[in-house]
Amino acid sequence: MVELYLVESGGKLLMVKRWLRHPWMPCFPEGRRTFCLQVWEADMSEGQWKKLDGSLEGRALFVSRPCSKSLPVGHGVREDCIYFLKKLYVWRKPKAPLGDSGLYNVRDKTFTPLLRESMPSLPWKSGRFPSWFFHAQV
């Protein structure tokens, strides 16, 4: 399964492709899990998307269904990383506190959870999706 997010970043239009494994796959019995993220840049002159590898040019991307945003690094935001959120399903207790959410480093292609696994889960009791919120000056 693939989810797509559009993000304006430094004057460029980017598309983040998020690859998820389905719950019935034996390698991920706990539910849908992100296993790959790719970033593509719109090339308006040629009318096509070009895959970016290795750098977000000193920025970080925040993606979720209700809100996607690009920010310059600083104040704890890590360079060349994609922060992602995914809705939690209340009928399942997720293994991570925020379910299928985390940080993906574009340079070394590694995943890091947003919160430690030892923290309590934070189930969403409504049909709404978790989202990012930013300071008004950002």
Side-chain angles (χ1 to χ4, degrees):
M1 183 173 155
V2 178
E3 291 187 358
L4 304 174
Y5 307 91
L6 292 177
V7 185
E8 182 279 324
S9 181
K12 298 176 182 178
L13 178 61
L14 302 180
M15 174 178 55
V16 176
K17 284 187 176 182
R18 181 176 178 179
W19 299 82
L20 298 114
R21 296 188 200 283
H22 284 283
W24 61 81
M25 294 182 79
C27 55
F28 278 95
E30 70 270 9
R32 291 183 185 156
R33 300 297 294 179
T34 300
F35 70 93
C36 180
L37 286 152
Q38 298 175 335
V39 182
W40 299 72
E41 180 183 341
D43 183 338
M44 299 301 185
S45 64
E46 295 189 26
Q48 62 184 7
W49 293 96
K50 293 189 177 183
K51 188 175 176 187
L52 296 181
D53 282 321
S55 176
L56 296 175
E57 299 177 358
R59 300 186 72 83
L61 304 179
F62 291 78
V63 297
S64 67
R65 184 172 278 179
C67 174
S68 295
K69 190 168 182 74
S70 168
L71 293 176
V73 295
H75 304 290
V77 175
R78 294 178 51 190
E79 181 177 13
D80 296 327
C81 288
I82 302 170
Y83 295 77
F84 60 94
L85 286 174
K86 180 72 176 161
K87 178 181 179 180
L88 297 180
Y89 297 95
V90 295
W91 62 86
R92 257 185 215 158
K93 183 173 174 76
K95 294 200 182 239
L98 291 175
D100 183 26
S101 303
L103 172 107
Y104 177 73
N105 187 310
V106 175
R107 287 185 190 171
D108 62 17
K109 298 177 176 29
T110 58
F111 287 89
T112 305
L114 287 178
L115 298 174
R116 293 185 312 272
E117 288 188 22
S118 62
M119 297 185 79
S121 295
L122 301 168
W124 300 95
K125 302 273 186 200
S126 73
R128 297 175 188 235
F129 290 86
S131 185
W132 306 107
F133 60 94
F134 302 95
H135 191 276
Q137 294 175 344
V138 172

